[in-house]
Amino acid sequence: MSVREIAPQETTRASAFELWMKAPNPMVTFFKTYDVMPLINKSRSTGMKFNMLLDYCIGKAASTIKEFYTLPVSDKLMRYDKIAVNTIVKNKENEVSSCDIAYTDDLERFNADYLQYTAQVRDTCSDHDLSEEYMVIGTSAIVETEIDGAVGMYSGIFNNPFMIWGRYRIEGYKALLPVSFQFHHTQMDGAHAGAFLRNLEEEIS
């Protein structure tokens, strides 16, 4: 079974579950700026899309942190075996659709899946949602402009971690990209989020 309900009191998130599940706004947002020039160079040398490479790095950085495999859903705590990364696609009607890509450590496979499913979403204008067996990390790239950061809206429905970024800006030999990372405090603490952001920096490098 890839997803199952777990008893919060039997996990390291027991106290967080009690503290944050009924909080009016249990979401926390961190901001960090990355030098993404290594991804730009990789994109230019291989023809792989920059956004795909960043999504892959996000999945790889999250895959080694156990808190990403647990997520509060409604009033339950769920444990997952698999992670996916969601990307927003501009479809042929010039609107936006949602596309989930299952994370795999194999970059070539992840790239192939990314190209296949984003093209499918673009052409059909229909979301590509993986089954509920995946803990999905949401992402949104605001490519029309540079942004310094963004705070997502807490709906009380989707508790998934979420990342937002805009255009990178060139400063000397660096390409600086501010990224926001929003997460539910029941899922992880600041230390876990910090470890993820550090891992992401290493994967980008």
Side-chain angles (χ1 to χ4, degrees):
M1 183 180 294
S2 296
V3 60
R4 58 198 181 277
E5 182 182 355
I6 56 176
Q9 63 271 21
E10 297 176 4
T11 74
T12 58
R13 305 308 300 159
S15 296
F17 188 89
E18 291 297 323
L19 284 170
W20 297 105
M21 281 304 293
K22 297 184 185 300
N25 187 356
M27 310 304 285
V28 181
T29 303
F30 283 3
F31 300 94
K32 185 171 175 61
T33 298
Y34 293 97
D35 177 10
V36 294
M37 188 60 78
L39 296 187
I40 295 171
N41 291 335
K42 178 77 171 180
S43 177
R44 289 171 176 169
S45 65
T46 64
M48 292 178 172
K49 294 180 179 295
F50 172 86
N51 197 67
M52 182 282 299
L53 291 167
L54 185 51
D55 284 348
Y56 172 80
C57 288
I58 289 168
K60 191 168 185 180
S63 68
T64 61
I65 297 176
K66 66 182 179 63
E67 284 72 21
F68 274 89
Y69 294 88
T70 302
L71 185 72
V73 179
S74 298
D75 60 348
K76 301 175 181 178
L77 197 61
M78 308 301 290
R79 175 73 49 79
Y80 299 78
D81 294 330
K82 298 181 287 187
I83 285 177
V85 181
N86 172 273
T87 189
I88 301 300
V89 178
K90 181 176 286 188
N91 61 40
K92 67 179 182 181
E93 295 181 356
N94 218 28
E95 301 294 340
V96 294
S97 299
S98 173
C99 184
D100 292 344
I101 310 295
Y103 170 71
T104 169
D105 192 53
D106 184 339
L107 176 57
E108 296 293 338
R109 172 64 184 277
F110 186 87
N111 181 51
D113 289 346
Y114 182 96
L115 293 175
Q116 175 185 346
Y117 293 118
T118 54
Q120 173 184 304
V121 166
R122 182 185 65 244
D123 294 340
T124 63
C125 304
S126 297
D127 296 340
H128 176 254
D129 296 326
L130 291 173
S131 70
E132 296 179 356
E133 296 182 350
Y134 289 83
M135 202 300 298
V136 180
I137 304 168
T139 74
S140 182
I142 315 299
V143 298
E144 291 79 11
T145 187
E146 297 174 3
I147 60 174
D148 294 324
V151 178
M153 178 185 69
Y154 174 58
S155 66
I157 301 173
F158 300 107
N159 296 330
N160 301 61
F162 199 86
M163 305 193 76
I164 303 175
W165 59 86
R167 287 181 181 173
Y168 55 77
R169 59 180 183 270
I170 302 297
E171 293 189 7
Y173 295 103
K174 296 182 178 182
L176 301 182
L177 181 68
V179 173
S180 70
F181 173 53
Q182 177 179 276
F183 59 94
H184 196 292
H185 215 331
T186 297
Q187 183 179 26
M188 69 184 78
D189 295 325
H192 306 124
F196 163 68
L197 295 174
R198 183 182 65 247
N199 286 357
L200 180 56
E201 187 167 36
E202 292 173 358
E203 296 302 333
I204 290 172
S205 296

